[in-house]
Amino acid sequence: MRFRAKIVDLACLNHFSRVINTIAKLAKSCTLRLTVSKLYFILSDRVANGGVSMWCELCQGNFFDEYQMEGVAVDHNEIYLELVPENLSRALKTAQSAKAVKIKLTNKHSPCLRVAVELPSLSSSSRIVTHDIPVKVIPRRLWNDFREPSVPDFDVSIYLPALKTMKSIVERMKNISNCIVIEANLSGEMNLKIETDVVSVTTHFKDLGNPPWASEDGCQSSAQDRDLQSMAEARIDIKKLQQLLVGQQVNPTKALCNIVSKRIVHFVLLHEDVSLQYFIPALA
Amino acid sequence: MKCVIEGGNVKALGHAVHALSRVGDHLYLEPSDAGLSLRAASASRSAFASFFFAPLFFQRYEPGPPGTRCKVLMKSFLGVFRSLPTLDKSVERCLVLLRPCAGQLVLQLHCKHGVTRTHQLAFQECERLQAIFDTQRCASRLRAPAQVLAEAVVHFPQTLAEVTLGAAAGGRIGLRSHLEEGSEPGKAMVTELWLAPDEFQEVAVVPGSCITFCLKEFRGLLSFAEASSLPLTIHYDDPGRPAIFTLDDSLMEAHLVLATLLDPESDSQPPPATNGSISHPPAPSDDFADDLESYMVALGSSACEGEAGEPPSPTFSLHTPRPEKSDPEEEEEEYGAVPGTPPHKKFRSLFFGSVLTPRGPGPAPSQEVLAEDSDAEC
C-alpha cells in the first residue's frame, strides 16, 4: 500500500486547500478514499453525524503534478483512510506560497499522512515544514460502508439561489430557530421558513429553475407527474445547513438540491473539478 | 513617576504590553533613574518577561522618588492599549502618571482631533519582581531576525502548547511540536521544520542540544520583535534550565525567561547511550529539493547523529538586565524554589531563587537556583 502525490502549481494548491477547508467545515472526521484517478472524501450517515452524509469527489489529475497510488491489493487498487480533515487544512494553510507540497502515506510509529511543504527562503536551501497527520487505515471488509450514495427518489429538484444570499439569510434565521423548513416546487420557487411561538419568518425565492433530470428507467417518475405548484418540503437542522453554506468558499458552477418530502434534502454542488453531495435528513 | 511617550513609541509600548499580557496577569511598573521597567511573571512562575525603556525612549521622563512602583491587573492596563491599529493611527501622545502616595495611576492618551482619553487604574503597591538568570551561563545561543522566527512559528497550530527547539549536527536548527505527556502518539498532528544556519545572524549552539518551552509566551515576544524589526536572541542551556529570549536597541531592552521541560524529549525509542546527547532526529541532507525521500526516511530512525556535546563556548556578549538601583534596605521579593507549576508538567520552577544577600558572585551552593544572578553591580 503506497501513496505519494505532489502539487507544484500554486493555483492547484490553492484550489486543493479550499476544497479541504470546505470538507473540514463539514466533518470532524471523515474517510479519504484514494483510487488511481480520484480522491473521495466520504462521511457516511451514522447516528454520530446526526444522519448527515457527504460525498466529495475530486479528479486527482486536476490538482496533482505527480500521483502514485498502490492499493491494498491488485484487484482492490484503492486505499481507505480515516482522518481529521482539519489537520490537513491546517497543514496546507501556511503552505500557500510553497514551491512544492508532497503528500505521502507513511507508517513510522503509526500510519500518517506526511505533508511536506517546501517553502522559499532567503537562505541557500529551501525551508521544509513537515506535518504528520495521523490516519487510520480502514480494512477492506469495511469498505462497503463507504459506497457512493444513490440519488434519492426526489419529489422536487431545484437550483439553489446564490449561496452567499442563502448563507446570510440562514445565519440570521439560526438566531431565531433551531430548525428550518426548505420547500420548493417544480416552478422554480423555493421558500426558507422558520417558525417559533412568537414569530415566523419566510424568505421566498423565485425563478430559480429546475434542473432537467433525464429519466432513467422511469425512476424520476414521481417528479415528472407532479403538480408544478405543489411544494415538497423538509424540516432540517438549521446548523447543518449553515455548516454547508459556510464551508463554500467559491461559488459552484452548479448548485442544486433534491427534496424528498419530509425525508431528506440532497444538496449537489458542482465545481469544474470537484463535486460535493451533502445529505441532510429531515427532522422527525 | 511621570513620563510622556510620543509618536511611534506609543505603539511600541502597546506592543510591549501585549507581549507582557501573554505572560502574566499582573503588570509590574518599576521606574528607576535608569529607566522604566514593565514586568510580568506567570502564576506558576514558569515565565518572566521584562521590558525596559531608557529615558531617551520618552519625550519626558521623571522617575520620581525611589521605591515608586506598583502592580496593576494586566487586563486593565492592556485595555488601554488594546487596539494596536488605533494606537498607531490616532494616538499622538501618552502620559503615564504614577503617584502611589496619592493613590493615582493615570494613563492619558492624547489622540487626534483633540480627543483625550484618561484612564485611572487601580493598582497595588508591591515589591520588586525580579527573576534571576544569566545569559552567560547558557551554552547555546542563536540570533535571527524576528521575521525568520515568526515565519517558522506560524506553521504550528495556535493551540499547540509547547515546542521543541533543537540543534542538529549540521548546524541546522529545528522546531517540532511537543506532544503532551499522556497524549496518544497516534492522535495528534506533529509539525516539524528545519532552518538552515545561514538564516540566522548567529548560531553558537551545542550540537544535539534541544529544549522544550511554551509557545504562547514566545509568540507574544515574537509579535513585539516583528513590530519593532529587531533581531531576537535565544540563549539556552540544558533541558530544565531556563531559556532566555532577548532583544534590544539603543532605547529599550526586552527579556523573556521561560522554564524548559526537564525531561529530554523522548521518542518512542529510548535515547541512545551517548554521553549526554539527547535523542534527536538527525539533520536532513543538504540537498532538500530532491532528497525529501531520504530525509523522510532519515527522520524515521531516531538514532542520534549529533556528536556528543562540546564544551560550551565560554565567551558570550553579555546581555543582562540593566541593574536597577536597589536600595539595600529594601526587602527583595523572595520566592523559594516554589513547585508552583501544574503537576503534570515537568517544568522546573523556577529561577526565582531567594536573594537574601546583596548580589555576590554566586548563590550559596545549597540553594537550588537554576540560573545564577548576573548583576554584579548594585
Side-chain angles (χ1 to χ4, degrees), chain B residues 30 32 34-39 50-55 251-255 322 324:
Chain B
E30 299 182 14
S32 69
L36 175 65
S37 223
L38 298 181
R39 297 177 176 177
S50 155
F51 282 79
F52 176 82
F53 300 94
L251 298 178
M252 58 83 51
E253 266 175 30
H255 295 265
R322 200 169 298 228
E324 307 284 325

Side-chain angles (χ1 to χ4, degrees), chain A residues 122-135:
Chain A
L122 292 172
S123 84
S124 48
S125 47
S126 309
R127 218 177 271 164
I128 296 203
V129 186
T130 56
H131 301 270
D132 281 341
I133 299 168
V135 297

Side-chain angles (χ1 to χ4, degrees), chain A residues 4 87 90-91 94 102 104 108-110 114 116 118-119 121 123-134, chain B residues 151 154-155 157 172 186-196 198-199 268 288-289 292-293 295-296 300:
Chain A
R4 319 165 67 155
N87 285 338
R90 259 197 256 135
T94 51
K102 294 185 189 175
K104 181 175 157 170
K108 300 289 158 45
H109 312 299
S110 59
R114 174 161 285 175
E118 191 187 329
L119 291 160
S121 80
S123 84
S124 48
S125 47
S126 309
R127 218 177 271 164
I128 296 203
V129 186
T130 56
H131 301 270
D132 281 341
I133 299 168
Chain B
E151 280 171 8
V154 81
H155 298 284
R172 293 187 192 284
K187 285 285 168 138
M189 181 164 104
V190 172
T191 301
E192 181 169 314
L193 92 103
W194 291 89
L195 296 167
D198 58 3
E199 300 211 60
S268 61
F288 269 136
L292 199 57
E293 175 68 32
Y295 156 60
M296 285 187 177

Side-chain angles (χ1 to χ4, degrees), chain B residues 5 20 46 55 57 99 143 146 179 207 254 256 352 360:
Chain B
I5 305 119
L20 285 163
S46 59
F57 177 82
R99 288 208 192 106
R143 192 166 81 240
L179 294 178
L256 172 67
F352 290 96

